Amino acid sequence: MSEAMRRKTGPGRPADMPERHREAWAAFFFLSPGLVVLSLFVFGPLIFIFVVAFFDWNLFRPEQHFLGVANFVELTGDELFFAALRNTTVYVLGVVPAQTLLALLLALAVNQNIPARGFFRAAFYIPAITSSVVTSIIFLWIYSKPGLLNYVLSQFGIVGPDWIGSPKYALGAIMALNVWSTSGYFMVAFLAGLQSIPASLYEAARIDGASPWARFRHITVPGLKPTLFFVVTLGIIGSFQVFDQIYMMSAGGPVNATTTLSYFIYNSAFRYFRFGYAAAAAVILFAIILFVTRVQRKIVRPEAP
Amino acid sequence: MSRIMPLRATLVFIAAFLFGCGRPDSDSIRLTGWIASPIEENLTRTFIDTFEQRHPGLPVRYEPITANYMDKLLLMLATGTAPDVVMIEAFWIPLLVEYDVLLPLDGFLVRDPGFFPDDFEPMLLDAFRSNGALYGLPKDYSTLALYFNPAMFDEAGLAEPPRTWEEFAEYARRLTRDTDGDGSVDQYGYSHAEDLEYSLPFVWQNRGEYLDAQGRAAFGEPAFAEALGFLQRMKTDGIAVMPSDVGAAWNMDAFGRRRVAMAISGLWAANFLNETHAGTPYRTALLPAGKKAASVAFVAGYAVPKRTRNPDRAWQLLRYLTGREGGRIWVKSDVGLPARRSIALESKIERDPLKRVFLQSLDHARIWQFRVNQRVLDETQSALQAIFLTGAAVQPTLDDLKRRVERGGRFHADVRGHEAQNRSGPPR
């Protein structure tokens, strides 16, 4: 209970407990629409995945066959699954550091007293609130053979490829799009982090004669640790689950170059109608994300100063 | 406020929320379909108006699906929420029959002497038949034919479209030109699309098969590889391109942009050319033939889901959609040729220089229909992309494909205990 609330209700009053109960009820009442919808469409299916993964689950049959771990065994021999796993790993390793670094640089830049600061903040944030379908379609055009990117390259005498149509470049092109579209969002997180660092620390350091790099290294970086943890965690989860841009731009191709785990899961469930198999792959994706996030927590340690 | 009130209010709220999920409008016949063109959508709406005028008491609710048609329809069929009449490509009939979600229509046909099922092109009607029962009725169809640009042919001194593979390659060579004299080629002979259906005519013409009569992979055989090799060679020789090579969205877009002189497509491409590339002249011809003539026929029709609440009302709409009157409306859309012979005669398809080519192709065409897991088709698509986009060697790529799809019985992963049925597989 917060300080303000304690003052209002007064500590140790006999009516305190029923009051708190009533508050809890009211809280649940106001939360209930959200909780019902979330339980029905998010938490329920989420838990159900762990059941479906052990079945040969086909919506067209009234009864489902229990398979044990057969779906998982089959996954270990599925080349497409491993291609998806490899693509996803490349994607995460490329996108997460790039978007984090870019977001940090953007935040540091717009945190300075530069002209038109508000404009730049808004401009960098716009991709984050634009529908991914829209950005995908715009980038399809930018990346196409006669598109904007190749036009710019041609000014330097470079003949660019069809970026999305080439197995060599398609994944990298989609990764670049994602770095662009997500770094604005994380920039705002870093900005909030930067502004929560007390200015007095910087003043004290300046009086002590600390160089700008030393101030950054010893005040800004430790001060941003909780934000960094937040950004990297969300970045990792989001990157592991990349789907919409793949679905819109390349449909996993060409030659499976952009088939990611979530796209593999989608196809297995909704195109091949193998819900159990898709659920098994989803469980593995869940385990990977859980593991990576825990490792990451060990490395960044948000609570450490 | 008593303590129980919020709980009760919550329950009322949830009940109201769930109530809203119920099915509205239970007395109208629900119809769904994809939208191939704006013309077709307008025709469908006119069609429904006419039907409702003729059948008072049978209101129709049209619920078109604008994207990912089969993904959505399969889910609706599986969960019993599909509309009463659904548009369907013949391709899906074997799979849906196996999933047991379609209503057999033979009983309705017997009781309805005014419907004249014998009027349908037999091959098209058969596409909706499985194990002797009829699960849908054809609406229209299109075969694949060769589109060529007569102006480019004139410039290259060519009078007639190619009739053989040799002529096809030779003409493509003569049509590949640097038109603006800047030293780089800007007009190519042919634009190939990497999808299986555009390579299949060449495979069949070479007496090859995708699947054999038992539904097993036949794409490892030399005849299949030879046909793909012929097409791949045209690309490596620089006389054919993939659409993306010239910045086009698909092969007919490349044709419309005048970057290629020849491309293969169905009747639907004529609509696209007229609307999007009105200045590009085009004519159609039978596909150039290999060891024999062959083409692919895509058939669209309507079916009734097994779990429909009112089969008799659904049949009323279905018989109108695929009947003679309905056929007369569809024929205006130009997305396909009429499935009924009487309508084809009436609308003088034989004398239409564009459409008659697609009609004539039906003589040697086979239906686009395989009983195979979608995963296998997707794996095939990836292999074809490797061959046509990255120049991968044909035979090793096909061998690898065969190994991938046959491993662990994944070839028919969702057809346990059923004999595979492949219309396009066994020669007719």
Side-chain angles (χ1 to χ4, degrees):
Chain A
M1 208 191 269
S2 77
E3 198 53 43
M5 278 172 84
R6 193 170 297 142
R7 264 202 300 276
K8 207 170 72 185
T9 53
R13 261 170 45 183
D16 193 30
M17 286 309 284
E19 180 83 12
R20 279 178 58 183
H21 270 216
R22 230 170 284 162
E23 274 178 15
W25 271 113
F28 277 114
F29 172 67
F30 286 115
L31 286 174
S32 59
L35 279 179
V36 168
V37 172
L38 280 178
S39 321
L40 216 59
F41 296 110
V42 179
F43 304 138
L46 231 150
I47 294 163
F48 196 48
I49 284 278
F50 291 90
V51 177
V52 176
F54 297 93
F55 282 82
D56 173 19
W57 199 283
N58 189 328
L59 287 182
F60 288 107
R61 278 194 314 253
E63 80 292 344
Q64 310 300 342
H65 303 294
F66 182 73
L67 287 182
V69 292
N71 282 329
F72 293 93
V73 173
E74 190 182 336
L75 276 175
T76 60
D78 190 336
E79 283 165 67
L80 190 58
F81 173 72
F82 282 100
L85 196 59
R86 193 179 56 237
N87 290 337
T88 309
T89 310
V90 169
Y91 187 91
V92 172
L93 290 179
V95 168
V96 175
Q99 78 187 10
T100 309
L101 197 66
L102 186 62
L104 181 60
L105 290 177
L106 290 178
L108 289 172
V110 297
N111 201 32
Q112 308 293 318
N113 261 328
I114 50 166
R117 190 165 74 157
F119 167 79
F120 283 112
R121 284 186 182 181
F124 294 141
Y125 192 64
I126 281 174
I129 52 167
T130 309
S131 151
S132 60
V133 173
V134 174
T135 55
S136 298
I137 290 172
I138 294 172
F139 270 75
L140 265 183
W141 172 71
I142 293 176
Y143 285 146
S144 78
K145 180 91 180 170
L148 184 67
L149 179 59
N150 283 346
Y151 173 76
V152 174
L153 288 177
S154 72
Q155 302 302 303
F156 300 97
I158 302 167
V159 181
D162 173 23
W163 296 88
I164 298 295
S166 144
K168 227 191 288 178
Y169 302 109
L171 188 62
I174 294 177
M175 284 163 65
L177 156 63
N178 268 273
V179 170
W180 170 80
S181 67
T182 49
S183 46
Y185 173 75
F186 291 129
M187 171 197 77
V188 173
F190 276 127
L191 263 180
L194 284 174
Q195 280 162 11
S196 70
I197 301 172
S200 55
L201 290 179
Y202 289 105
E203 279 163 27
R206 209 171 287 137
I207 293 166
D208 289 344
S211 67
W213 170 249
R215 291 202 296 270
F216 176 76
R217 173 71 190 79
H218 297 289
I219 300 174
T220 311
V221 170
L224 280 181
K225 248 188 174 174
T227 317
L228 186 69
F229 176 73
F230 167 80
V231 167
V232 174
T233 306
L234 283 197
I236 286 175
I237 294 174
S239 299
F240 267 115
Q241 297 179 340
V242 58
F243 176 78
D244 29 7
Q245 290 88 353
I246 306 282
Y247 182 82
M248 283 301 300
M249 297 176 77
S250 64
V255 203
N256 297 324
T258 59
T259 301
T260 55
L261 275 180
S262 49
Y263 193 73
F264 174 85
I265 292 167
Y266 172 83
N267 271 345
S268 299
F270 295 102
R271 279 173 63 80
Y272 315 146
F273 258 70
R274 302 191 61 202
F275 284 87
Y277 195 58
V283 166
I284 293 181
L285 177 61
F286 167 78
I288 292 172
I289 294 179
L290 188 70
F291 174 76
V292 173
T293 313
R294 289 198 71 100
V295 169
Q296 199 256 124
R297 200 184 164 84
K298 285 259 156 57
I299 298 170
V300 179
R301 281 182 301 158
E303 54 291 297
Chain B
M1 198 182 191
S2 83
R3 271 162 63 179
I4 205 71
M5 262 304 281
L7 180 66
R8 206 177 290 162
T10 311
L11 290 177
V12 168
F13 177 83
I14 295 170
F17 176 79
L18 293 177
F19 188 74
C21 302
R23 283 185 192 168
D25 215 358
S26 59
D27 59 337
S28 49
I29 312 172
R30 293 166 64 216
L31 166 72
T32 192
W34 63 84
I35 298 170
S37 73
I39 305 171
E40 195 184 18
E41 196 190 0
N42 285 337
L43 277 177
T44 310
R45 304 222 182 252
T46 341
F47 186 95
I48 291 167
D49 290 344
T50 328
F51 175 82
E52 285 178 336
Q53 279 165 18
R54 306 258 162 106
H55 302 80
L58 288 180
V60 176
R61 206 173 65 188
Y62 181 45
E63 304 169 1
I65 295 175
T66 47
N68 304 90
Y69 184 77
M70 277 318 288
D71 290 7
K72 286 178 192 159
L73 186 64
L74 280 171
L75 271 182
M76 288 167 119
L77 286 169
T79 52
T81 54
D84 304 298
V85 178
V86 298
M87 205 200 260
I88 193 89
E89 221 192 315
F91 181 87
W92 296 94
I93 292 298
L95 183 81
L96 296 182
V97 167
E98 199 172 281
Y99 285 153
D100 197 21
V101 288
L102 296 182
L103 194 69
L105 302 170
D106 304 83
F108 293 111
L109 290 181
V110 172
R111 276 171 287 161
D112 197 332
F115 185 66
F116 305 112
D118 298 339
D119 188 23
F120 288 110
E121 285 282 353
M123 173 184 178
L124 305 179
L125 195 62
D126 279 350
F128 289 91
R129 221 184 276 284
S130 182
N131 304 324
L134 191 67
Y135 290 95
L137 291 166
K139 160 185 173 273
D140 55 19
Y141 72 98
S142 177
T143 51
L144 289 180
L146 182 75
Y147 282 78
F148 65 99
N149 185 321
M152 291 179 182
F153 268 60
D154 274 350
E155 280 164 28
L158 299 166
E160 293 292 320
R163 282 156 304 178
T164 62
W165 284 18
E166 293 72 32
E167 280 183 6
F168 184 50
E170 172 56 24
Y171 287 16
R173 194 175 311 279
R174 287 170 63 177
L175 288 158
T176 299
R177 295 173 54 206
D178 168 18
T179 51
D180 56 8
D182 68 348
S184 67
V185 173
D186 33 38
Q187 174 190 309
Y188 294 88
Y190 168 63
S191 173
H192 191 59
E194 76 259 25
D195 308 80
L196 176 64
E197 48 267 48
Y198 295 96
S199 292
L200 264 188
F202 293 92
V203 170
W204 287 338
Q205 289 176 4
N206 201 37
R207 301 191 198 284
E209 294 292 339
Y210 178 56
L211 304 176
D212 68 12
Q214 282 74 45
R216 290 173 308 213
F219 44 74
E221 305 296 318
F224 193 97
E226 253 173 50
L228 295 194
F230 168 73
L231 293 165
Q232 194 194 38
R233 218 159 30 247
M234 284 182 70
K235 191 188 172 216
T236 46
D237 288 353
I239 57 175
V241 284
M242 305 311 286
S244 59
D245 293 335
V246 290
W250 56 301
N251 62 341
M252 291 313 290
D253 189 33
F255 183 91
R257 289 166 191 258
R258 306 183 198 213
R259 300 300 304 275
V260 298
M262 297 184 281
I264 290 174
S265 198
L267 180 61
W268 59 83
N271 262 338
F272 167 77
L273 290 175
N274 296 342
E275 280 166 21
T276 314
H277 301 289
T280 305
Y282 66 88
R283 279 173 57 196
T284 51
L286 295 180
L287 293 180
K291 291 172 186 158
K292 60 174 185 177
S295 181
V296 185
F298 304 89
V299 192
Y302 286 100
V304 177
K306 199 167 203 171
R307 286 162 77 176
T308 180
R309 281 157 302 141
N310 198 331
D312 291 318
R313 293 157 73 101
W315 168 250
Q316 287 302 315
L317 180 59
L318 178 66
R319 78 184 296 282
Y320 193 73
L321 284 163
T322 55
R324 282 185 182 159
E325 222 167 321
R328 280 187 199 111
I329 298 178
W330 292 131
V331 79
K332 293 180 204 149
S333 80
D334 271 0
V335 289
L337 297 166
R340 284 181 175 267
R341 287 169 161 175
S342 60
I343 310 286
L345 273 176
E346 251 176 53
S347 44
K348 303 190 170 55
I349 304 276
E350 279 287 2
R351 280 192 231 155
D352 184 318
L354 171 74
K355 290 184 189 171
R356 69 169 174 225
V357 174
F358 296 95
L359 180 66
Q360 287 159 3
S361 300
L362 194 62
D363 291 341
H364 51 248
R366 285 159 64 181
I367 305 284
W368 172 241
Q369 186 180 74
F370 290 108
R371 178 58 203 97
V372 71
N373 191 315
Q374 190 72 26
R375 168 87 188 253
V376 177
L377 288 173
D378 284 359
E379 293 267 8
T380 306
Q381 177 76 0
S382 287
L384 292 173
Q385 284 173 344
I387 289 168
F388 290 118
L389 296 176
T390 70
V394 174
Q395 193 65 56
T397 307
L398 293 175
D399 292 343
D400 187 51
L401 171 66
K402 195 163 189 288
R403 185 184 57 77
R404 283 171 76 115
V405 298
E406 284 182 343
R407 169 189 286 188
R410 202 177 292 130
F411 199 66
H412 294 292
D414 54 1
V415 269
R416 292 194 182 121
H418 281 268
E419 197 184 322
Q421 179 196 14
N422 292 289
R423 280 257 155 55
S424 309
R428 298 171 72 84

